[in-house]
Amino acid sequence: MMLCMMISGLKQPGNDIDVYLSPLIEDLTKLWDEGVLVFDGFQNETFQMRAMLFYIINDFLAYENLSGYSVKGHHACPICEEDTSYTQLKYGRKTVYTRHRHFLKPHHPYRRLKKAFNGSQEQETAPIPLTGEQVFQRVEHLNTIFGKTQKKEKKVRLAYGSLTFF
């Protein structure tokens, strides 16, 4: 079983993502706990199949939407966090993330390239990922409210000459 969906742009659900994912979560829970009866054509018999979600692949925007981790700003890397290396462009508001080569193997040829990157070689090693216990300690006190939220009242704007009333 596979479920694919794209919710992009201004209409993405934000914290209401659980409304879209709840059918998938229900199916995955059933496949893990109980399993489903499936016919095996090769063996010509039925069996109880159990399944699990092993891996997901998504871009950074979907990662932010699904996990609630902000992938914007100066600490956007979910692995580096406070140690995220960035540069603010001089003539714009763009943030450019640097030192991405430290995730490569120590003797990878890209680590030595200067001209193709920022003019320097990469000598640092990748940060050590957090353990499950460390992640749990960081999130155990979070209070996230899921579900459809009530829509905010729209303010009516009236303009009369140079005066604007809300």
Side-chain angles (χ1 to χ4, degrees):
M1 175 175 103
M2 180 182 284
L3 173 81
C4 289
M5 75 175 127
M6 282 182 54
I7 306 167
S8 61
L10 299 174
K11 297 190 185 282
Q12 64 179 334
N15 264 3
D16 297 332
I17 191 72
D18 64 318
V19 172
Y20 294 93
L21 293 179
S22 62
L24 173 64
I25 292 168
E26 288 171 12
D27 288 346
L28 288 171
T29 302
K30 181 177 180 179
L31 284 169
W32 179 258
D33 291 340
E34 306 165 27
V36 291
L37 199 59
V38 176
F39 179 75
D40 181 353
F42 185 75
Q43 298 284 341
N44 202 22
E45 62 186 23
T46 58
F47 68 97
Q48 197 73 14
M49 181 183 74
R50 293 176 185 250
M52 62 183 265
L53 179 64
F54 184 69
Y55 208 80
I56 63 168
I57 299 172
N58 48 265
D59 63 7
F60 246 37
L61 296 176
Y63 177 79
E64 176 180 31
N65 191 252
L66 290 170
S67 70
Y69 186 90
S70 177
V71 294
K72 299 177 182 96
H74 295 167
H75 304 296
C77 178
I79 297 169
C80 301
E81 293 185 326
E82 293 84 18
D83 296 326
T84 300
S85 179
Y86 64 91
T87 301
Q88 199 76 32
L89 294 181
K90 187 175 182 180
Y91 298 107
R93 296 184 192 175
K94 296 244 184 220
T95 301
V96 179
Y97 303 102
T98 57
R99 284 189 25 230
H100 52 280
R101 292 176 289 162
H102 71 265
F103 288 102
L104 296 171
K105 293 180 181 178
H107 299 292
H108 194 284
Y110 282 9
R111 284 180 164 264
R112 294 187 303 275
L113 292 179
K114 291 181 182 181
K115 195 172 184 179
F117 293 97
N118 61 352
S120 65
Q121 290 185 352
E122 184 60 61
Q123 304 297 328
E124 293 189 37
T125 59
I128 299 170
L130 299 174
T131 65
E133 183 64 32
Q134 290 170 318
V135 171
F136 179 72
Q137 288 172 356
R138 290 183 179 202
V139 300
E140 68 181 324
H141 299 295
L142 291 179
N143 183 19
T144 304
I145 300 169
F146 291 105
K148 283 290 184 188
T149 56
Q150 294 180 359
K151 293 186 178 188
K152 296 178 183 175
E153 293 181 26
K154 292 184 180 180
K155 293 181 180 179
V156 177
R157 186 175 123 174
L158 303 171
Y160 182 77
S162 61
L163 299 173
T164 301
F165 303 95
F166 288 97

